[in-house]
Amino acid sequence: MYKKVHSKIPANEIDGWSVEELLSNSGIMIEGKLTRAAIILLGKPTAVFKLRPAVVEVTWTLRDGKEDVVGYEHFTAPFILTVDEILGKIRNLTMRELPGGTLFPDTMKQYDNYSIREALHNAIAHQDYTLQERINFVENPGYVYYENGGSFIPGTLQRALAIRGPQRHFRNECLCKAMVHFNMIDTVSRGIKKIFDEQWRRHFPMPDYEIDAVNKVVGVRLYGNAINEKYTKILKENKTLTLHECIALDAVQKGHQISEETAKELLDKGLIEGESPNYQISLGVAKMTHQLPEYTRVSGLERSKLKQMTMQFIQNAGEDGTMRDGIYEYLKVAMPSNKTKEQNLRLLGNILKELKEEGAVSLKGLSWYEVQNPTKKN
């Protein structure tokens, strides 16, 4: 791996180095003494006690569809070897996908080898070992989850994706540089972006980064299938989308919040519609990706239709009238599903207010009833 990274150094020259020279040139032996990074990457399992109270351990856990643990195993140094053992635990199934416009399927693995390896290497490189915590690697049906202790050094995912050039600061500089020498990670901040690019290329949901600065935890969820067909269709049929737009649309499809600045960009391009924070894909995108039934369900019926349904329900209630909650129970299946109950109740309140101002209904106590009953007139 050192030869692969340092191709400008003649291979026979590296072959002539002693073990001490290789370790020194890799930065994990300094003035003849081994570093903690040397033990983490190359040390025997029996040597990790020298790092106490730090914990040098990755725990792989297998969960079933009910999130019950059905298997687990702990792995320790040397991480340069055990990473392959850990990744070998994953059931990386072969999938067949039909690309748009063709009857011939593409065959690919659930997880891209680079992505699952890069995410685990990042967890090892950026773990805050002073927290005395293990790294968790959880395999679930459809996705794998990585969790390591420590703050997210770039601060936000957006900043990490926007960085151009080498990262300025490393929590574990000696460890990170050694992992660069051994071809485990790079220092030009392209790893995370490459993971997103690969998911984009495969038409899979974007990774979820869960950054908890208060509790010092960084979690990454990497999806192994197209769990959201709507999003997949958008990626397949709209080739003009940028990575930034794909990440934002992915968040909207998952019901996650996006910044007002990002929302404005998507609104201006006609990719989404709605009001903060309840955005949804636009009617144009829904038509393009054949999602009109879903779009209508999320958007709800037009206000005029809801108004007609409200009047019909009150008429059916007769002279006794009906409570607003009863009207809501009847209307809720036709109301926007991307809004909260409180928001839809306010919408109903506005409709009832309009009907009252029009003289169609009147309020008696807490019951709404029709004041111009056609049956009574006759």
Side-chain angles (χ1 to χ4, degrees), residues 128 218 304 363:
D128 186 344
V218 178
S304 61
L363 179 64

Side-chain angles (χ1 to χ4, degrees), residues 44-175:
K44 294 179 180 180
T46 53
V48 295
F49 77 91
K50 296 179 181 293
L51 303 179
R52 289 176 182 167
V55 176
V56 182
E57 189 170 274
V58 175
T59 296
W60 164 79
T61 306
L62 176 64
R63 294 180 182 271
D64 60 18
K66 298 179 181 178
E67 296 190 353
D68 292 330
V69 176
V70 294
Y72 71 93
E73 191 170 343
H74 303 295
F75 297 85
T76 186
F79 279 155
I80 198 170
L81 297 181
T82 54
V83 163
D84 284 337
E85 295 178 26
I86 298 167
L87 297 178
K89 289 286 185 179
I90 298 177
R91 296 172 297 180
N92 197 1
L93 303 177
T94 299
M95 304 180 66
R96 294 168 68 83
E97 179 200 31
L98 285 173
T102 179
L103 296 177
F104 300 96
D106 288 336
T107 301
M108 60 184 174
K109 293 290 188 181
Q110 265 187 297
Y111 304 104
D112 166 60
N113 284 334
Y114 174 87
S115 298
I116 56 175
R117 186 176 297 274
E118 176 72 10
L120 184 55
H121 283 166
N122 281 344
I124 292 170
H126 301 298
Q127 166 86 337
D128 186 344
Y129 291 92
T130 67
L131 296 176
Q132 304 172 31
E133 298 175 350
R134 64 169 59 96
I135 296 168
N136 286 317
F137 179 49
V138 185
E139 182 182 353
N140 300 272
Y143 71 93
V144 289
Y145 181 77
Y146 307 78
E147 184 182 81
N148 68 275
S151 58
F152 190 62
I153 292 177
T156 64
L157 177 61
Q158 290 72 22
R159 187 177 299 174
L161 292 171
I163 290 175
R164 299 290 184 267
Q167 191 168 304
R168 295 181 180 181
H169 169 69
F170 294 97
R171 177 179 292 112
N172 309 306
E173 184 176 10
C174 181
L175 175 61

Side-chain angles (χ1 to χ4, degrees), residues 224-295:
N225 56 28
I227 61 171
N228 196 321
E229 291 298 329
K230 300 179 295 181
Y231 178 70
T232 301
K233 287 179 181 178
I234 291 175
L235 291 187
K236 284 182 178 180
E237 299 185 24
N238 191 334
K239 303 298 183 182
T240 65
L241 293 173
T242 66
L243 176 60
H244 171 70
E245 290 166 345
C246 285
I247 294 172
L249 277 173
D250 178 70
V252 171
Q253 298 278 27
K254 292 173 182 172
H256 298 172
Q257 291 191 8
I258 57 176
S259 69
E260 287 304 306
E261 182 182 357
T262 300
K264 186 178 184 306
E265 292 176 11
L266 298 183
L267 286 166
D268 290 344
K269 290 192 173 185
L271 295 171
I272 63 171
E273 59 186 42
E275 297 178 357
S276 177
N278 302 305
Y279 296 110
Q280 66 184 74
I281 61 170
S282 68
L283 176 58
V285 172
K287 287 180 177 178
M288 179 183 70
T289 55
H290 314 297
Q291 298 177 63
L292 281 177
E294 175 68 10
Y295 171 85

Side-chain angles (χ1 to χ4, degrees), residues 186-368:
D186 62 55
T187 57
V188 293
S189 302
R190 66 172 184 151
I192 294 177
K193 185 175 184 298
K194 191 172 179 180
I195 293 174
F196 275 83
D197 281 333
E198 186 58 32
Q199 291 293 96
W200 181 14
R201 184 188 69 80
R202 293 156 64 88
H203 303 139
F204 279 10
M206 294 294 172
D208 289 334
Y209 272 72
E210 300 168 1
I211 301 167
D212 187 340
V214 175
N215 296 308
K216 296 184 177 180
V217 176
V218 178
V220 181
R221 183 179 283 102
L222 184 63
Y223 294 93
N225 56 28
I227 61 171
N228 196 321
E229 291 298 329
K230 300 179 295 181
Y231 178 70
T232 301
K233 287 179 181 178
I234 291 175
L235 291 187
K236 284 182 178 180
E237 299 185 24
N238 191 334
K239 303 298 183 182
T240 65
L241 293 173
T242 66
L243 176 60
H244 171 70
E245 290 166 345
C246 285
I247 294 172
L249 277 173
D250 178 70
V252 171
Q253 298 278 27
K254 292 173 182 172
H256 298 172
Q257 291 191 8
I258 57 176
S259 69
E260 287 304 306
E261 182 182 357
T262 300
K264 186 178 184 306
E265 292 176 11
L266 298 183
L267 286 166
D268 290 344
K269 290 192 173 185
L271 295 171
I272 63 171
E273 59 186 42
E275 297 178 357
S276 177
N278 302 305
Y279 296 110
Q280 66 184 74
I281 61 170
S282 68
L283 176 58
V285 172
K287 287 180 177 178
M288 179 183 70
T289 55
H290 314 297
Q291 298 177 63
L292 281 177
E294 175 68 10
Y295 171 85
T296 303
R297 185 187 67 79
V298 174
S299 301
L301 294 181
E302 294 178 357
R303 189 187 183 92
S304 61
K305 298 290 193 304
L306 293 174
K307 199 170 177 180
Q308 291 175 11
M309 291 176 68
T310 301
M311 276 299 301
Q312 183 64 53
F313 188 81
I314 295 173
Q315 286 177 349
N316 292 343
E319 295 182 4
D320 294 335
T322 180
M323 303 287 284
R324 189 178 69 162
D325 287 347
I327 301 173
Y328 173 74
E329 285 299 313
Y330 167 64
L331 287 182
K332 67 180 182 181
V333 294
M335 300 183 90
S337 66
N338 65 336
K339 295 187 182 298
T340 64
K341 180 179 179 180
E342 289 73 20
Q343 290 173 317
N344 281 329
L345 281 172
R346 282 197 295 272
L347 171 60
L348 174 58
N350 291 333
I351 289 174
L352 289 169
K353 182 180 178 182
E354 288 180 15
L355 291 172
K356 182 173 179 289
E357 291 174 348
E358 293 169 3
V361 299
S362 62
L363 179 64
K364 183 179 181 181
L366 295 176
S367 297
W368 293 90

